[in-house]
Amino acid sequence: MKLTAKSVSRVALVSTLVAATAGAAVLVAAPASGAASTLAAAAQQSGRYFGTAVAAGRLGDSTYTGILSREFDMVTAENEMKMDATEPNQNQFSYGNADRIVNHARNQGKRVRGHALAWHSQQPGWMQRMEGSALRQAMLNHVTKVASYYRGKIYAWDVVNEAFEDGSSGARRNSNLQRTGNDWIEAAFRAARAADPGAKLCYNDYNTDNWSHAKTQAVYRMVQDFKSRGVPIDCVGFQAHFNSGNPVPSNYHTTLQNFANLGVDVQITELDIEGSGSTQAQQYQGVTQACMAVSRCTGITVWGIRDSDSWRSYGTPLLFDNYGNKKAAYTSVLNVLNSGTGSTGPTTTSSSPNPGGCTATYSEGEKWSDRFNGNVTVTGTNNWIVTVTVSTPQKIIATWNTSPSWDSTGNVMTARPNGNGNTFGFTVMHNGNWTWPTVSCRVA
């Protein structure tokens, strides 16, 4: 991401996303005794990473590098590995500033995400003037030369960045690269695999967070097609730039899980959320919970360290303030990482594998800022007992189509038929915890 009028305007687009987290209370207690005290260490407990975007020009700032050293274990070059920086003149490559970032990271034992090999934006002037087969060859040469130069030093490459249009069309972006032929993305991935076979290869984009949006569906279909035909793609990056007009969608977990189900890793690659205080912290908490709930969500990268380092510093969108102090959002993220759990997907459990068994399936219902509905469908018997368990500090405040009872903690509800069929529901006051309940079933 680069701070330009064009890039700023794109995250301010009016969105129809419904925020699942707006206005909710946030738990900002200090980490429990024995819990990890930094973002990287907390993420590593579940096999994930927690990274940040780094600018070479700030590596002389001791506050900046102190936080970088302490809190993060993955590094992305903010602009220094993009096309205009690495190939300012055709076939004349410049790696000085990118090397500063890569070497700084590797010397501290951190891994590096390569960003980005092919993109319609931030092309050098000579490339902007090219079209057709000449451009195709120049693009493939760039991918090959840059990926080869860093071969063995990069954890994952954003091979192609932002190739789809916003809006309802689901179309590819009408860029000079797209005009070289619809197979240009595939060609870039194949070139990257040949040049750096040990790195994960990712497609990266923004406004692909809401599962119902046409752009999300278009990217999903492309990944599905690539996987079916053996095109080398290992991961999908979700930039995750959010603000009040474009909040974290209520189906964010669904989006991550559906992509992961295609057999690719999912990574949150450029996270920043405009705002402050508990509202911002709750949004960060929701994103982190969604990643933690998807086993193939391998890590989170925030796009900058302090608010003053951000490409949209006016929105104070990061985890540290201008002076390097931890914000409420930091604590909410750290707590979720230390919990080892997220907002889980539908849970289906059976009491036995035979036809006399019982299966309960959970599905999400409506959501509000302070509560959400859940629905349970029972199959296998009309004589069932379902156990619903919620996570502290959640409380079930209403039920329908069942006769419920609770244990002494109030966190475990036992539901039985009340003559209204085999589907029942309940409302959970989440009190800042959006984790979905677990359900299990047995025959009465």
Side-chain angles (χ1 to χ4, degrees):
M1 195 63 56
K2 186 175 183 179
L3 183 53
T4 65
K6 187 176 186 179
S7 58
V8 170
S9 65
R10 73 185 192 192
V11 293
L13 294 170
V14 175
S15 171
T16 58
L17 301 178
V18 177
T21 55
V26 180
L27 301 177
V28 293
S33 176
S37 60
T38 68
L39 298 170
Q44 288 166 11
Q45 295 172 130
S46 62
R48 292 172 170 83
Y49 64 81
F50 205 96
T52 188
V54 170
R58 294 190 175 93
L59 291 178
D61 181 329
S62 60
T63 301
Y64 183 92
T65 55
I67 299 170
L68 171 61
S69 175
R70 182 185 75 236
E71 296 288 346
F72 303 101
D73 61 350
M74 185 73 72
V75 164
T76 303
E78 190 168 348
N79 289 294
E80 290 82 351
M81 296 180 79
K82 293 174 180 173
M83 303 175 80
D84 58 353
T86 52
E87 194 178 1
N89 300 298
Q90 188 171 8
N91 219 27
Q92 294 180 356
F93 292 85
S94 175
Y95 299 111
N97 283 329
D99 281 350
R100 287 184 64 196
I101 293 172
V102 172
N103 293 338
H104 185 93
R106 287 170 57 83
N107 287 340
Q108 293 189 344
K110 306 180 191 301
R111 292 181 292 174
V112 180
R113 294 191 79 262
H115 176 78
L117 292 173
W119 190 22
H120 71 277
S121 184
Q122 286 185 245
Q123 294 178 1
W126 63 265
M127 183 176 281
Q128 295 174 29
R129 296 186 290 270
M130 298 180 77
E131 293 282 349
S133 60
L135 175 61
R136 171 67 69 95
Q137 186 54 45
M139 180 272 291
L140 293 176
N141 181 65
H142 179 89
V143 170
T144 299
K145 292 291 180 63
V146 176
S148 295
Y149 178 84
Y150 286 109
R151 180 172 178 163
K153 297 182 178 180
I154 301 298
Y155 162 74
W157 283 106
D158 289 332
V159 179
V160 173
N161 198 44
E162 301 174 4
F164 284 81
E165 293 281 6
D166 289 317
S168 60
S169 70
R172 295 275 188 92
R173 184 185 298 276
N174 182 24
S175 68
N176 61 348
L177 292 172
Q178 177 64 27
R179 292 190 294 272
T180 69
N182 203 53
D183 64 336
W184 78 272
I185 300 176
E186 175 179 343
F189 272 84
R190 294 193 184 279
R193 174 66 86 225
D196 192 0
K200 291 182 177 293
L201 305 183
C202 305
Y203 176 78
N204 192 56
D205 216 327
Y206 68 97
N207 279 356
T208 52
D209 312 290
N210 191 313
W211 176 244
S212 67
H213 283 187
K215 184 175 181 179
T216 308
Q217 293 296 310
V219 174
Y220 178 87
R221 289 190 297 270
M222 180 190 72
V223 177
Q224 187 178 45
D225 172 61
F226 281 9
K227 294 297 290 184
S228 71
R229 295 191 294 109
V231 178
I233 184 169
D234 305 304
C235 41
V236 176
F238 297 83
Q239 292 185 16
H241 298 293
F242 297 116
N243 57 24
S244 59
N246 179 36
V248 181
S250 61
N251 59 15
Y252 193 54
H253 164 266
T254 300
T255 302
L256 298 181
Q257 187 64 65
N258 285 345
F259 274 89
N261 290 344
L262 292 177
V264 294
D265 292 343
V266 292
Q267 301 171 359
I268 298 169
T269 56
E270 303 183 18
L271 177 63
D272 51 19
I273 304 176
E274 290 183 21
S276 62
S278 62
T279 300
Q280 181 186 52
Q282 181 63 42
Q283 294 269 300
Y284 265 104
Q285 176 178 306
V287 171
T288 310
Q289 285 179 324
C291 179
M292 294 292 288
V294 177
S295 61
R296 294 200 69 155
C297 184
T298 54
I300 298 172
T301 295
V302 289
W303 204 247
I305 295 178
R306 302 165 299 193
D307 285 334
S308 55
D309 305 316
S310 172
W311 65 293
R312 48 179 184 162
S313 57
Y314 56 86
T316 60
L318 296 174
L319 300 178
F320 296 86
D321 68 17
N322 294 351
Y323 305 100
N325 300 309
K326 299 172 183 177
K327 296 165 58 177
Y330 172 97
T331 306
S332 69
V333 170
L334 184 66
N335 286 347
V336 175
L337 294 174
N338 273 318
S339 76
T341 60
S343 52
T344 60
T347 301
T348 302
T349 58
S350 300
S351 61
S352 67
N354 60 60
C358 172
T359 300
T361 303
Y362 177 84
S363 61
E364 64 178 350
E366 292 181 278
K367 300 180 181 69
W368 298 269
S369 63
D370 59 345
R371 64 198 188 281
F372 61 86
N373 286 346
N375 301 293
V376 177
T377 301
V378 181
T379 57
T381 181
N382 293 325
N383 189 23
W384 44 265
I385 299 175
V386 171
T387 301
V388 179
T389 304
V390 298
S391 303
T392 304
Q394 294 174 339
K395 294 296 178 184
I396 296 175
I397 60 172
T399 65
W400 55 93
N401 294 343
T402 186
S403 297
S405 60
W406 284 266
D407 74 347
S408 59
T409 69
N411 290 343
V412 180
M413 179 179 76
T414 300
R416 294 178 171 83
N418 69 350
N420 290 320
N422 287 345
T423 298
F424 68 93
F426 49 88
T427 300
V428 177
M429 185 67 69
H430 61 68
N431 292 313
N433 185 347
W434 286 89
T435 305
W436 285 11
T438 60
V439 299
S440 62
C441 185
R442 61 185 174 87
V443 178

